[in-house]
Amino acid sequence: MARKKSARPTVAVVGGIELGKRFCVPGVSLESNCPKCGALAETDLANDYLSYPVVGEPYEHTFWCEYDEEEWSVRVVVRGTVEAWDGK
Ligand SMILES: [Zn+2]
């Protein structure tokens, strides 16, 4: 059965966003000060990565201070959507 042609094909976005084992984000860094000595620790997500983050859910990232070997965790969230473009 022939369908009536619409002016523009539509799109359905199906499924969630699965991020892999090594999710890099070039151009984004995480920075946090050591709770013990105040030194700045940085994770450059161009080279380092988040492991299996889930979009929209809290992700626990661990920093390590090279000066006093302190370890601490922070929570970040990866956000991202793919939607049909409505032309506006
Ligand atoms: Zn420190």
Side-chain angles (χ1 to χ4, degrees):
M1 185 173 147
R3 283 189 179 177
K4 194 176 173 185
K5 269 193 174 179
S6 58
R8 178 176 292 209
T10 59
V11 59
V13 180
V14 180
I17 300 173
E18 283 184 34
L19 303 176
K21 182 180 181 183
R22 297 183 179 190
F23 182 67
C24 287
V25 192
V28 175
S29 290
L30 304 177
E31 296 179 344
S32 183
N33 291 95
C34 172
K36 202 168 176 183
C37 75
L40 186 67
E42 182 182 13
T43 300
D44 183 350
L45 293 178
N47 306 313
D48 212 336
Y49 56 86
L50 306 179
S51 196
Y52 295 112
V54 178
V55 170
E57 291 187 12
Y59 178 89
E60 194 123 326
H61 179 69
T62 303
F63 283 98
W64 184 77
C65 178
E66 59 186 303
Y67 302 109
D68 50 26
E69 302 187 351
E70 178 78 358
E71 196 176 270
W72 70 101
S73 295
V74 296
R75 293 176 113 194
V76 297
V77 63
V78 176
R79 300 220 187 266
T81 62
V82 178
E83 301 168 16
W85 175 247
D86 64 4
K88 292 173 190 169

